[in-house]
Amino acid sequence: MARTLELDVGPVAHGGVFVARHEGRVVFTSDALPGERVRARVIDDRHDRYWRAETVEVLEASDDRVDHVWSAASLERDPAERAGGAEFGHIRLARQRELKADVLREAFERFAGLEADPVVEAVPLGEDAPPGASDAGSAWRTRVRLQVAPDGTLGPFAARSHDVVPVADLPLAAPAVAAAAPLGQRFPGAAHVDVVAPGEGGARVLVAERDRRGKPRKPPRGEIVEVVDGRAFTLEQGGFWQVHVNAARTLSRAVQDAIDGSAFDPRAANLDLYGGVGLLAAAVGDRFGETVRITTVEADERATDHAAANLADWVGAAAVTARVDRFVQGLVADASRAERQALAEATVVLDPPRSGAGRAVIAALGELRPRQLVYVACDPVALARDVGYLREAGYGLEELRAFDLFPNTHHVEAVARLGSIVA
């Protein structure tokens, strides 16, 4: 039988859990809040330095605790049956943002050696949002992935597991997604079901079947159109796009604002790394004009094809299919003297996956020495680690903003500008 502990809960930690201690050992505890006293069930005691636990009862509640936004993820359910994906849903929204800022601050101190004081900004949903949705942090997801159990049952994974939990509603989903989600239906043999509600056209349900080895197949091909500030972007229906209904516009404007115009050269070899279908390259072009020279680099060939079409308004835009690490290392190895100069005068925008750009990419950028970098990140620790690498390479952090693009979860999006401090 699993061990149960009474714990006094301390600060937030990366990953949506909170730090408590038991007999000198750290216990990372979910579904809690700083200052609370809880009864928690230990779910992992394999490590000498720390354990993991899940709250089963609140003995002394924080004033910031509220009724969970999603009953399927609340304390009323056994931890093994709580839906994942809303791990901060029991916390007042303003307090959620403070906790996310705490995680960013601690990550920068620990991994970048910097003192940062970010404020996590709320992001509005728009005029079409249901009444009260912004205050509740609900109705923002334009994309939802539902997993399929061996018997065909559909639902999210339980928190911190791969067990499928049937649910009756999806409160974080945008109305079109919630209405189209085939909850209660069975999909025997499928791997997962994606529900996508693009900016134009109705919601789509994309079923990923399993191949003979049990691996998920790619969903059926098809195009969708997303619209950002009046500009249309075509992409694959199963391709990457920001999840929050207002995320693409928010990040486009944040990147535009982050670029230091006095350091920007439209004729330089400007880069948009991990560029997807060209969203942020277009943001640069919209700010600085149609003659901007910018190359967007993306490993997904289909996304690169769409980027080329989406960036057709800019005569100096190009789209390259390549892994970013190989692309920038190739520039280090092969760039001519003139190309090196154009890169040294460049602005580089990068929006890597959750794992971050990593040491190899940062080292290559350090060799190329672009004038400024604008880094878009969805993981605070990966961002802080890479900022630390960039500091070693001679760059200084000049600006940091953060956005609450994932309300009721622990995730946060950040945009950082770094400039070269080495002549």
Side-chain angles (χ1 to χ4, degrees):
M1 184 175 180
R3 182 182 325 196
T4 300
L5 308 174
E6 288 192 9
L7 300 170
D8 294 314
V9 182
V12 66
H14 180 52
V17 294
F18 299 83
V19 179
R21 293 186 181 273
H22 175 72
E23 298 179 350
R25 180 183 284 107
V26 169
V27 183
F28 292 114
T29 307
S30 66
D31 303 302
L33 266 163
E36 291 190 328
R37 185 166 181 80
V38 303
R39 183 173 288 112
R41 182 187 303 166
V42 177
I43 59 171
D44 184 356
D45 60 1
R46 297 171 296 171
H47 306 279
D48 292 334
R49 296 178 57 191
Y50 67 90
W51 290 348
R52 295 189 181 276
E54 295 174 316
T55 299
V56 294
E57 183 182 359
V58 178
L59 304 175
E60 297 177 17
S62 165
D63 291 341
D64 293 312
R65 181 175 284 274
V66 296
D67 290 339
H68 205 290
V69 70
W70 193 8
S71 61
S74 69
L75 285 181
E76 283 66 38
R77 285 198 174 197
D78 184 87
E81 298 175 355
R82 290 177 196 160
E87 61 278 0
F88 274 8
H90 62 290
I91 305 172
R92 184 172 55 88
L93 267 182
R95 182 64 172 136
Q96 291 183 33
R97 295 177 188 128
E98 292 171 356
L99 293 169
K100 294 176 185 186
D102 289 345
V103 171
L104 266 168
R105 187 178 302 109
E106 196 274 338
F108 269 77
E109 290 175 0
R110 181 177 178 187
F111 296 101
L114 288 172
E115 292 186 4
D117 191 23
V119 174
V120 178
E121 302 175 33
V123 177
L125 293 177
E127 297 178 357
D128 298 333
S134 290
D135 294 334
S138 60
W140 54 268
R141 292 192 68 104
T142 61
R143 283 150 173 76
V144 167
R145 172 160 293 180
L146 300 169
Q147 307 295 335
V148 181
D151 66 355
T153 300
L154 192 67
F157 281 141
R160 295 164 291 281
S161 89
H162 286 141
D163 295 330
V164 175
V165 177
V167 296
D169 62 347
L170 298 169
L172 303 191
V177 171
L183 301 179
Q185 299 182 30
R186 290 180 181 268
F187 291 81
H192 54 76
V193 175
D194 291 341
V195 186
V196 178
E200 290 191 353
R204 303 187 185 192
V205 177
L206 311 176
V207 180
E209 303 289 351
R210 294 188 185 274
D211 62 21
R212 286 180 290 182
R213 296 177 297 172
K215 302 294 185 181
R217 299 181 187 273
K218 290 185 177 181
R221 292 278 293 269
E223 293 183 340
I224 57 175
V225 176
E226 298 283 3
V227 179
V228 181
D229 284 335
R231 181 174 294 282
F233 293 85
T234 301
L235 63 148
E236 189 68 24
Q237 62 181 358
F240 175 78
W241 188 258
Q242 293 289 339
V243 172
H244 189 287
V245 65
N246 206 18
R249 182 173 65 171
T250 297
L251 293 177
S252 292
R253 293 181 177 182
V255 166
Q256 289 174 333
D257 293 342
I259 296 172
D260 180 354
S262 66
F264 184 83
D265 183 350
R267 298 163 297 179
N270 302 298
L271 297 174
D272 170 31
L273 304 180
Y274 312 93
V277 298
L279 172 69
L280 299 182
V284 176
D286 276 337
R287 178 177 172 188
F288 293 102
E290 63 183 15
T291 61
V292 163
R293 179 185 175 192
I294 189 164
T295 298
T296 185
V297 183
E298 167 61 47
D300 185 313
E301 183 176 5
R302 183 66 171 161
T304 308
D305 290 343
H306 285 304
N310 293 333
L311 298 173
D313 287 357
W314 294 277
V315 295
V320 173
T321 303
R323 277 180 39 170
V324 168
D325 57 346
R326 294 175 181 171
F327 178 84
V328 293
Q329 288 166 349
L331 292 177
V332 170
D334 301 329
S336 67
R337 183 173 180 179
E339 289 169 333
R340 284 267 188 163
Q341 183 61 36
L343 287 162
E345 295 167 353
T347 293
V348 174
V349 177
L350 60 162
D351 183 10
R354 192 171 303 280
S355 57
R359 187 178 286 277
V361 170
I362 298 302
L365 290 174
E367 288 278 342
L368 298 170
R369 302 226 56 80
R371 188 173 292 168
Q372 63 180 326
L373 299 104
V374 176
Y375 192 132
V376 180
C378 59
D379 185 276
V381 169
L383 171 62
R385 178 206 64 203
D386 286 349
V387 168
Y389 294 158
L390 284 164
R391 290 189 72 204
E392 294 173 2
Y395 284 85
L397 180 66
E398 298 176 343
E399 180 180 292
L400 176 65
R401 294 178 69 188
F403 302 92
D404 193 16
L405 294 179
F406 310 92
N408 290 307
T409 82
H410 74 276
H411 298 291
V412 61
E413 197 87 10
V415 177
R417 183 180 74 237
L418 298 102
S420 176
I421 56 176
V422 176

